Amino acid sequence: MESAMDYHTARALLEWQIELGATDAIGDAPVDRYTLSESTPKAKKPEQPQATPDKPAQVDPVAMAQSVAKGAGSLDQLRAVMDAFDYCELKRGARQLVFADGRPGARVMIIGEAPGRDEDREGKPFVGRAGQLLDRMLAAIDLSRTENVYITNVLPWRPPQNRDPKPEEIGMMKPFLERHVALAKPDVLVVMGNISCQAVLGKRGITRLRGQWDQAMDLPVIPMFHPAYLLRQPQMKRQAWADLLDLKAHLKGNG
């Protein structure tokens, strides 16, 4: 049977395809790529996602603080558990823990706000100019941190740039403060400054609260101006003197 295409025509077509770039034959039979395959390839089943390990449960820092504070049976133990408490970010920027100063078991317990630069360096509350003024104020009513006053702060670590403590920082450290008061067993609490009033009494506005006796942690509480505030506003020393005399009268009347 003769081919439908003669030799010269076939050669011309082949040379034309070579000019177009078709230089290799990949099969003995032509393939019509415009027709669908009889068998459509099956789609691959999606791979099952691998099980991811469970995320560790988030720790409630306030609950943790309550737990470890409750377990402290002495002031030394409380200091140790506070020093080991790693959930407060303030600890990472402070030099050291500022725990307390003065006479444990004294009738008067002063609660300040937070350590400043001098306190952070020395590891004691109320040092520097504010501490010196506090010592003079106490001496005026026959009190002394070396004999009959115990001193601590709401926060044991210095906030960066001496900024005000945040509410969540106060809330996180309050269980330690409450345990501190319970172990120190004072007769009277003196809260100095707005932050202390907020932490102990849940109130702010020291100019309104100062000199007004209140009750917290099963103890009588008197708010006073912070010595640092008095250094900036010396005209307020008259009111501070009146509050000191009120404290002295309270101690004498309940002695």
Side-chain angles (χ1 to χ4, degrees):
M1 180 178 179
E2 294 182 355
S3 172
M5 186 181 297
D6 62 32
Y7 168 79
H8 297 288
T9 301
R11 182 182 178 88
L13 290 173
L14 179 60
E15 290 176 351
W16 177 70
Q17 293 186 33
I18 292 174
E19 288 180 4
L20 292 178
T23 58
D24 296 307
I26 59 175
D28 295 331
V31 178
D32 185 355
R33 301 188 183 279
Y34 293 94
T35 61
L36 294 175
S37 173
E38 293 181 359
S39 59
T40 304
K42 296 181 179 179
K44 293 183 178 179
K45 293 182 179 180
E47 295 182 358
Q48 294 295 329
Q50 295 182 353
T52 56
D54 294 336
K55 292 183 179 180
Q58 292 186 348
V59 175
D60 181 353
V62 176
M64 182 62 70
Q66 291 171 342
S67 176
V68 296
K70 185 178 180 180
S74 67
L75 291 173
D76 288 340
Q77 290 179 5
L78 181 65
R79 179 178 188 137
V81 297
M82 288 176 68
D83 202 20
F85 189 75
D86 291 329
Y87 298 98
C88 184
E89 289 295 327
L90 295 178
K91 181 179 180 179
R92 291 163 176 74
R95 290 186 179 184
Q96 59 182 318
L97 177 83
V98 178
F99 183 68
D101 193 23
R103 178 75 64 177
R107 295 186 65 196
V108 176
M109 184 173 182
I110 296 176
I111 300 175
E113 298 182 337
R117 181 188 60 186
D118 295 328
E119 288 80 5
D120 186 41
R121 184 175 59 246
E122 296 190 26
K124 294 181 179 181
F126 284 97
V127 297
R129 293 181 62 211
Q132 294 169 6
L133 177 56
L134 175 62
D135 288 341
R136 293 196 297 271
M137 292 167 61
L138 294 175
I141 57 171
D142 303 318
L143 295 177
S144 166
R145 72 170 80 195
T146 60
E147 296 179 4
N148 46 22
V149 174
Y150 187 63
I151 306 173
T152 191
N153 281 319
V154 172
L155 297 183
W157 295 293
R158 179 193 181 190
Q161 287 78 49
N162 288 354
R163 66 161 171 76
D164 283 348
K166 299 176 182 179
E168 58 268 26
E169 294 167 345
I170 296 174
M172 187 185 308
M173 302 310 295
K174 187 173 180 179
F176 293 110
L177 179 62
E178 293 173 338
R179 187 60 178 160
H180 204 157
V181 172
L183 292 171
K185 299 179 180 178
D187 293 337
V188 175
L189 293 178
V190 178
V191 290
M192 290 189 158
N194 261 326
I195 302 302
S196 305
C197 288
Q198 179 182 345
V200 176
L201 300 174
K203 305 175 184 177
R204 290 182 67 93
I206 188 61
T207 54
R208 172 176 50 86
L209 296 172
R210 55 141 290 269
Q212 304 298 316
W213 285 92
D214 209 324
Q215 193 83 10
M217 303 183 190
D218 298 323
L219 291 169
V221 181
I222 182 169
M224 292 189 184
F225 288 130
H226 196 285
Y229 174 78
L230 295 175
L231 290 173
R232 299 191 302 270
Q233 304 289 338
Q235 70 274 14
M236 296 297 185
K237 289 183 178 179
R238 181 185 296 274
Q239 290 93 325
W241 175 240
D243 297 341
L244 288 169
L245 292 177
D246 198 1
L247 173 61
K248 182 179 182 178
H250 179 90
L251 294 171
K252 185 176 181 180
N254 295 273

